[in-house]
Amino acid sequence: MRVKIVHSGIILLLIIFGFANTCSALSYSGGGEWSYSDDITIMENSGQKLVDYQVLILLNSSNFDFNKAQDSGRDIRFESGEKQLKYWIEEWDSQNGEARIWVKVPSIAASGSTKIKMYYGNPLATGDVSGASTFLFFDDFSGSSVGFGNWDSFYTGGGEIKVSNGVVRLIVPKFHPEDVSSIKSEDAYPVNSMFVVSRKKVTTGTDSRGPIIEQGFVDPQKQTKNMVLVHTELEEEAKVTWIFKNQKSDARYFPKDLTSLNEPEDNWYTTGVAWYMEDELGKVAFFKNGIRDGKMDLAATEEMNYIPVSDMKVYLFASTFSDNSDNTGYAAFDYAYVRKFVSEEPTVVFGERTEADVSEETPAPVKINITPSGDRLSSIRIFDTEIDDDSAIADLKNSGINTVMLRVDEGNIWSLESFVKTAHENDMQVYAMVFNDPEEAFTEDTSKLKSNIATILDYNNKSLAGFDGILLSLNPCSDDPLESCEENLLLLADIREMTSGGLAISVDVPADYDRSFLGDISDDVDLFILLTYDTEGERLITTNDIVDSIASKMGEIRAADGKAVIEIAVNDDFMTSADVQNLLEELQDYYSEDGAYIGTSLVVYDEYLQYSDTPAETEEDRSTPAFTGILATLGLLGAVLVLKKR
């Protein structure tokens, strides 16, 4: 089996900025500079506009020099429009000169083209791949069990499901006519999707046919209502059958023995079930090791409309034969993903190669890395929640980060469990940030916000990796201070009651917040985060201006025996900015003896404005999750570990 890249590298602190002579949009992830870049043209062939489409980049000895890249492709990066693109390396075989890399391309015009750039040749770079950020669905089974936001499982008649060493096994270990094991995704996916797994079959019984395996799409409510499945059986997976059911057309179809996978026992390979629609009718295709098997191409007709086209869940299944033979064993899966699919996939053409002119005299970018004094902690805010990489935690910790503020909503919370667990194992805290949508913020209706908090509490009750606190955004009290600030008081009292003191509560305080009301809410707030910028273009960038602007608020917080963090807005070059470095040091020195001061946090101002001014969108319109506008905020927070009120 070729090298499988299982780390995802979300490195959101050191990722966005700071490579002056190569590409300022590339992830820091270890430092250094990129020596080489290749232009890549992607041409659309289906006649459809493609948005956030996963494009396969195939590297081989004819288009790429593997000797110029690092082990496992850890220094590979992709960029478009000065923004780094999400990507995942499915295979990297430098010895044989082959690699398969999936890149999430923001947009390709119908029958048009777009250009991206691939960077490599950086000995200091660390991995930055992310399957979860690249695909509609991704699981490398790195946990100890299936579930927790990804799968629902079912087994009967002695069936078992086990996860270990990054592999899930659907086991049918007993001699039983109804020995089955299956997992089904919790989320449903639309037509024009492809479900890919890396898999193998192992026989443990005396019947050499081994277990049956099924892979594909099934109805979200009841899998027997609608289905698009590939059924494989016999030695070497020699018999391959489609199973179709379309409840709307009351049609079933079982095209049998169409091809052979010709795969021996205990050998890894990939299979993909593509399910798409053309001319208002469903079509299917099947892929083995990335190659389309034309024998499996089928299309529904108006007379035989057996392929459903409504949203469905992905499904994996193993069973014994119904003839009571001892064909026990298991189906093993190394990873699984769902990507977008069109029948005529984009064409990838490599163009000009550029070698960076990096002299020995060129100094390496300077990273912001202030060691907090005393008992202060350093923290980062993460608004882009497509994260799942253990190496990210290591990089954050090595940079002095030991607290993470992580955006949470009802739809993404369980997908974050692995990150939270790994953070805790590395002695890092994780706070859940909860916000309304921008158009709904600061309204009297706080039901959605409370619902999100209830979701966090439910998660904490069920998870082995609970959040340590929550972060809320206050009503700015700018229209009617008395009434609005009273609403904050009531809201925070309700939230404190909901949490029963089990979670620390922190709040963002807008720049125009009426400081006289801070004392009123201090009993229900563990940490105040003072914002020194607004959406009207006002931001403070000197120590004196910042100190003067927050002096009265700090006084109120100090009098209430509260704790405060100062948040400043910076440009997107802050990672290499001496001005930012000096500002952080000066603020830390100024407040070094202030018991109310916890630390300082940063926000990229242009991204903040984009986030703040973004109108409400439908789920179909969003190209990125809500509240990903602020990509990352570095902070130096204080002793939050002891801030839970009794």
Side-chain angles (χ1 to χ4, degrees):
M1 180 181 171
R2 292 175 180 170
V3 176
K4 171 188 159 192
I5 308 301
V6 297
H7 57 285
S8 302
I10 51 107
I11 323 306
L12 291 176
L13 167 63
L14 305 176
I15 72 173
I16 315 290
F17 318 102
F19 304 100
N21 291 327
T22 53
C23 176
S24 62
L26 297 186
S27 147
Y28 206 97
S29 298
E33 295 184 356
W34 278 261
S35 299
Y36 309 100
S37 65
D38 291 354
D39 290 332
I40 299 176
T41 300
I42 302 171
M43 297 180 290
E44 204 288 312
N45 299 316
S46 70
Q48 306 175 51
K49 179 181 179 180
L50 305 181
V51 178
D52 288 338
Y53 194 84
Q54 296 82 18
V55 174
L56 177 61
I57 307 296
L58 292 173
L59 302 182
N60 53 55
S61 57
S62 68
N63 62 21
F64 187 76
D65 186 348
F66 282 82
N67 292 322
K68 293 181 177 179
Q70 302 306 308
D71 294 344
S72 304
R74 68 177 186 269
D75 59 335
I76 295 291
R77 301 289 188 273
F78 295 90
E79 179 204 45
S80 175
E82 297 188 355
K83 289 188 176 181
Q84 181 170 312
L85 304 181
K86 305 293 186 181
Y87 69 102
W88 182 70
I89 301 177
E90 186 167 22
E91 292 180 1
W92 186 274
D93 186 356
S94 56
Q95 183 174 358
N96 293 313
E98 294 178 342
R100 293 170 56 87
I101 307 175
W102 293 98
V103 181
K104 186 177 181 180
V105 179
S107 179
I108 314 172
S111 302
S113 65
T114 191
K115 290 181 182 274
I116 65 174
K117 194 177 284 284
M118 179 177 70
Y119 290 85
Y120 54 99
N122 181 350
L124 298 182
T126 58
D128 200 32
V129 299
S130 174
S133 299
T134 304
F135 299 109
L136 301 176
F137 170 87
F138 178 82
D139 197 343
D140 59 9
F141 304 107
S142 57
S144 58
S145 64
V146 296
F148 299 115
N150 279 349
W151 303 95
D152 292 319
S153 58
F154 174 81
Y155 46 90
T156 187
E160 299 178 35
I161 299 174
K162 293 185 177 181
V163 180
S164 62
N165 300 319
V167 173
V168 62
R169 290 183 295 156
L170 306 186
I171 308 172
V172 284
K174 298 182 179 180
F175 178 70
H176 194 286
E178 295 182 359
D179 204 8
V180 304
S181 298
S182 68
I183 55 176
K184 179 171 60 177
S185 66
E186 290 197 355
D187 294 332
Y189 302 95
V191 69
N192 300 318
S193 297
M194 182 174 177
F195 177 36
V196 179
V197 298
S198 173
R199 75 187 214 182
K200 69 178 179 180
K201 182 175 79 169
V202 174
T203 299
T204 57
T206 58
D207 188 335
S208 60
R209 295 178 298 176
I212 296 167
I213 303 175
E214 291 180 1
Q215 171 188 344
F217 299 86
V218 296
D219 187 88
Q221 279 72 46
K222 186 177 181 181
Q223 58 206 42
T224 55
K225 289 171 58 178
N226 296 288
M227 59 181 66
V228 173
L229 295 173
V230 171
H231 172 110
T232 60
E233 57 183 293
L234 306 183
E235 292 183 66
E236 297 188 341
E237 309 283 2
K239 184 177 181 180
V240 183
T241 301
W242 279 111
I243 301 176
F244 299 114
K245 171 67 184 298
N246 187 350
Q247 185 190 38
K248 289 186 177 180
S249 296
D250 194 24
R252 296 180 67 91
Y253 189 34
F254 299 85
K256 298 182 179 180
D257 206 7
L258 298 181
T259 191
S260 172
L261 299 188
N262 194 30
E263 281 296 335
E265 289 272 317
D266 208 10
N267 188 61
W268 289 104
Y269 59 100
T270 66
T271 53
V273 178
W275 163 58
Y276 62 105
M277 186 167 64
E278 290 181 351
D279 301 324
E280 299 183 354
L281 292 171
K283 293 187 176 183
V284 294
F286 181 76
F287 293 73
K288 178 191 170 187
N289 291 333
I291 300 174
R292 186 167 182 165
D293 188 337
K295 298 175 184 177
M296 295 285 286
D297 284 358
L298 287 173
T301 65
E302 292 184 0
E303 294 76 20
M304 293 190 63
N305 189 16
Y306 46 81
I307 299 177
V309 294
S310 57
D311 290 2
M312 292 199 288
K313 298 184 176 184
V314 293
Y315 177 74
L316 295 170
F317 170 91
S319 74
T320 56
F321 283 101
S322 59
D323 59 8
N324 294 332
S325 65
D326 185 18
N327 68 316
T328 58
Y330 60 86
F333 301 94
D334 195 17
Y335 57 82
Y337 62 82
V338 178
R339 70 175 182 90
K340 295 183 178 182
F341 178 84
V342 290
S343 184
E344 297 296 327
E345 299 251 42
T347 301
V348 176
V349 179
F350 279 76
E352 181 181 358
R353 175 167 299 166
T354 302
E355 184 170 350
D357 182 14
V358 182
S359 65
E360 293 182 0
E361 291 76 21
T362 302
V366 178
K367 295 183 293 183
I368 289 178
N369 188 12
I370 297 177
T371 303
S373 62
D375 58 357
R376 294 189 177 93
L377 305 180
S378 59
S379 174
I380 182 173
R381 292 196 187 200
I382 299 177
F383 281 77
D384 185 347
T385 60
E386 297 177 332
I387 54 177
D388 61 349
D389 184 19
D390 291 354
S391 69
I393 300 295
D395 279 2
L396 294 176
K397 186 174 182 179
N398 290 337
S399 302
I401 300 299
N402 49 28
T403 301
V404 174
M405 302 294 187
L406 187 62
R407 182 185 65 85
V408 171
D409 58 41
E410 294 180 72
N412 76 343
I413 188 166
W414 281 104
S415 66
L416 307 175
E417 185 184 42
S418 177
F419 181 88
V420 178
K421 183 175 184 294
T422 306
H424 287 169
E425 291 171 350
N426 284 271
D427 299 321
M428 299 174 69
Q429 291 190 114
V430 183
Y431 274 48
M433 292 191 294
V434 183
F435 297 91
N436 289 320
D437 289 336
E439 290 294 302
E440 299 175 358
F442 313 133
T443 65
E444 294 182 4
D445 183 7
T446 58
S447 58
K448 182 175 180 180
L449 185 146
K450 291 180 180 178
S451 176
N452 283 336
I453 292 174
T455 299
I456 294 168
L457 295 174
D458 179 68
Y459 164 90
N460 270 20
N461 287 333
K462 298 176 180 177
S463 173
L464 297 176
F467 289 96
D468 301 286
I470 57 176
L471 172 60
L472 309 170
S473 184
L474 290 181
N475 186 316
C477 304
S478 55
D479 295 332
D480 186 342
L482 183 60
E483 180 179 352
S484 299
C485 288
E486 181 69 19
E487 292 171 2
N488 283 338
L489 179 61
L490 296 175
L491 173 63
L492 288 168
D494 288 346
I495 292 173
R496 177 64 74 183
E497 183 177 357
M498 289 176 66
T499 62
S500 301
L503 287 174
I505 297 176
S506 57
V507 296
D508 284 332
V509 181
D512 58 353
Y513 195 84
D514 192 323
R515 56 94 179 169
S516 62
F517 292 94
L518 290 175
D520 295 338
I521 62 175
S522 62
D523 287 344
D524 294 316
V525 173
D526 299 308
L527 180 64
F528 293 93
I529 300 180
L530 304 179
L531 311 185
T532 63
Y533 52 88
D534 58 32
T535 59
E536 305 303 318
E538 178 71 21
R539 61 182 177 124
L540 305 176
I541 57 175
T542 69
T543 301
N544 289 338
D545 288 344
I546 290 172
V547 169
D548 290 344
S549 73
I550 63 172
S552 61
K553 295 188 180 72
M554 285 294 293
E556 295 289 340
I557 294 171
R558 199 177 296 117
D561 197 25
K563 304 296 179 184
V565 164
I566 303 170
E567 183 158 285
I568 61 176
V570 297
N571 294 327
D572 61 5
D573 62 352
F574 75 90
M575 285 301 299
T576 57
S577 171
D579 291 338
V580 173
Q581 178 88 13
N582 292 335
L583 178 59
L584 292 176
E585 291 174 346
E586 289 173 359
L587 287 171
Q588 183 167 290
D589 290 343
Y590 184 90
Y591 289 104
S592 61
E593 297 182 3
D594 190 334
Y597 172 74
I598 295 299
T600 307
S601 65
L602 303 180
V603 61
V604 179
Y605 190 57
D606 289 343
E607 302 294 349
Y608 163 76
L609 291 179
Q610 178 183 350
Y611 148 71
S612 300
D613 295 339
T614 300
E617 299 170 320
T618 63
E619 289 299 322
E620 291 79 5
D621 292 334
R622 286 193 179 116
S623 60
T624 55
F627 292 94
T628 57
I630 304 177
L631 292 179
T633 306
L634 165 66
L636 298 173
L637 296 186
V640 185
L641 286 168
V642 297
L643 287 180
K644 294 182 181 178
K645 292 187 180 285
R646 304 302 181 193

